[in-house]
Amino acid sequence: MSQNRRKFIKNAAISAGGIGMFSILPSSVWGANIAPSDQINVALIGCRNHGFNILRHHLNNEGVNCVALCDVDENVLHERAKDVKEAYGQNPKLYRDFRKLLEQQDIDAVIIGTPDHWHCLIFVYACQAGKDIYVEKPLANTIGECDIMVRAANHYSRVVQVGQQQRSNEGFNETMEIIKSGDIGRLRKVNIWANFNYGIGATPVEDSSVPEGVDYDFWLGPAPKRPFNRARFHGSWRHFWDYGGGLFSDWGVHLIDMGLWSDDLLGGPERVITYAGNNSNQTGMRDTFDTMNVTYPKKNYVINFDMNGGVQEGPWGKPYGVAFIGDKGTMVADRAGYKLYPEYDNNTESHKTAARSLSNISDAHDHHVRNFLDCIQSREPPRCTPEMGYAAAVHAHIANISGRVGEHLLEWDDENMRFTNSEKANEYIIPEYRKPWKLPEV
C-alpha cells in the first residue's frame, strides 16, 4: 500500500460529498451546434458486448464522436465499425493493439470494456497518454491492480468514471437520501442477494482451434498461457480466475457498493467472514464459486451477501436486491426502484415511519455516461470515483480469496495492503503477469 492511500481516500470522500444527490442533465445541455472545442472524442477498447453498449450511451449525446475502436477479434472489430457507421455516420480508426490506439492524439477519453484481467494495464497506459477513462467494473481483477489504478488516476490527474452505474440510479439515490435522513431509524443491517442462472458458468466444451481473425495470445495478455476453449472466451470468461471473479465480483461490486454508500465508506474491509463453494448439481464450466455467503462487519452495522448461481428466485420476490434494515423500517431496493416497509409501534398504534415507494426507473447508464461527459468538461470528480471502485472491488476480491484459500475468516490491513492472519491469502494480492507483459508501476 502506498503511503498516499489515506490521502487519496480523504480527498475522495471530500469530492464525493460535493457531488450531491441525483440529477438528470438532458443531452440538449450541449446545444444543437457544438463548437469543435466542446466536442468530445472517445475511443472504445474491447468492443464485443457491454463495452459497445457503453459506447452507444456516449454517442447518444450530441457533440460526442467515436474516433477509434480496438479489439483483438477482427470479426467483432469490423462488425462494430459497421454499427457505428450505420447508426451514427462516423468512421472510427480501427486497431488490434490498444497501445497504438493510445497514440492517436485526438482522443479525449477511452472506454475500457475488456475482460477484467486487462483493465489495469490499459488504464495506466491511458492515464500516461493523458486520456480520461470510463472503465467497466470491477475496477480490476486483483487487489494490487486496483490500488495501482487509484494511484495512477490521482498521479496523472485523470477524470475516471467506474461503471458502477447504480451511483447514477434515481431509485438508489433516493434510497440513500431516505437512509441518511434517519427516516428508517438507525441502520442496523444491509442484506444483499444475487441469484442468476449464468452464475454456474458455460456449458462445457472441448478445447479447439483459435477462431479465424482472433489474436488469442493478445487476448490472454498478462494471463497464463492456456489452450483455446470457447467456454473461457467471449461471454463466459468471467467464470475463470485468470480473467474474472465469477458471479460474486460481477454483481458483487454493484450491490456491495450500495451497502458501502449507505454510510459513505471507502477503503477495504477490516474483516470478512466467508463461505464459498460449488454446491449446484448443474454442470457448468468454471473455476469460480456458484454458492457464497459473506459477512462484512462494520463499525455501525453489518453487510451480509447471499449469492446463488443457477438460481433465479430470491427474497422479496426479486432475483437480486438490497434490503436496508433500520429500527423504523426496511428499504428494499433494486435497479427498478424501492419500497419502504415501516415497522409498527404497538404502543402508539401507528407506523414508526411513512411507507413510500418508487418504480419504473429509467436506465442509469445514460445518466452515468452523461455525468462522465460533464466531468470531462468541468474536471470535477464523477459519481463513481476510482476510490469507490476500489472499495467495492476489494470487498468482492477478499471474499473470493477466502474461498480459494479455504479460510473462512480473513483480516485485512488496507493501509499496508496485506492480510494480517493469512500468508496464503497474501499470495493473491499481486498478480504475476505472463511475459513480456509487466505489472505497471506508478
Side-chain angles (χ1 to χ4, degrees), residues 89-261:
Q90 300 179 4
N91 293 290
K93 295 180 181 179
L94 306 183
Y95 298 89
R96 297 279 295 272
D97 188 328
F98 72 92
R99 294 168 295 186
K100 295 294 183 182
L101 177 147
L102 292 175
E103 294 174 1
Q104 188 173 322
Q105 294 300 309
D106 63 343
I107 296 172
D108 299 307
V110 297
I111 303 163
I112 301 176
T114 64
D116 302 348
H117 73 290
W118 263 114
H119 286 188
C120 183
L121 264 176
I122 297 172
F123 184 100
V124 174
Y125 286 7
C127 286
Q128 293 170 342
K131 317 299 184 185
D132 294 326
I133 303 166
Y134 188 111
V135 58
E136 260 310 312
K137 55 80 215 165
L139 187 61
N141 199 36
T142 64
I143 297 172
E145 289 172 308
C146 289
D147 178 63
I148 289 169
M149 293 166 74
V150 171
R151 290 191 280 115
N154 283 274
H155 179 76
Y156 294 102
S157 300
R158 304 323 309 161
V159 171
V160 175
Q161 180 85 293
V162 182
Q164 292 163 208
Q165 75 276 1
Q166 288 172 177
R167 290 268 176 169
S168 295
N169 176 281
E170 182 181 0
F172 276 114
N173 271 271
E174 287 195 18
T175 295
M176 297 305 158
E177 288 180 339
I178 292 168
I179 291 170
K180 293 174 185 180
S181 72
D183 282 1
I184 70 167
R186 179 181 177 182
L187 179 63
R188 298 167 54 178
K189 184 184 295 184
V190 178
N191 287 340
I192 300 170
W193 65 99
N195 299 336
F196 293 97
N197 279 330
Y198 82 91
I200 62 171
T203 302
V205 295
E206 297 294 326
D207 294 344
S208 62
S209 58
V210 177
E212 186 175 351
V214 173
D215 188 340
Y216 177 58
D217 189 69
F218 207 136
W219 185 88
L220 288 172
K225 181 75 172 178
R226 298 189 188 279
F228 180 82
N229 189 293
R230 286 189 293 108
R232 299 176 66 96
F233 192 49
H234 286 332
S236 52
W237 51 263
R238 71 172 63 257
H239 297 291
F240 300 90
W241 300 124
D242 290 346
Y243 328 117
L247 176 57
F248 197 82
S249 74
D250 189 24
W251 269 91
V253 291
H254 282 306
L255 300 176
I256 293 169
D257 188 31
M258 299 300 96
L260 300 175
W261 189 9

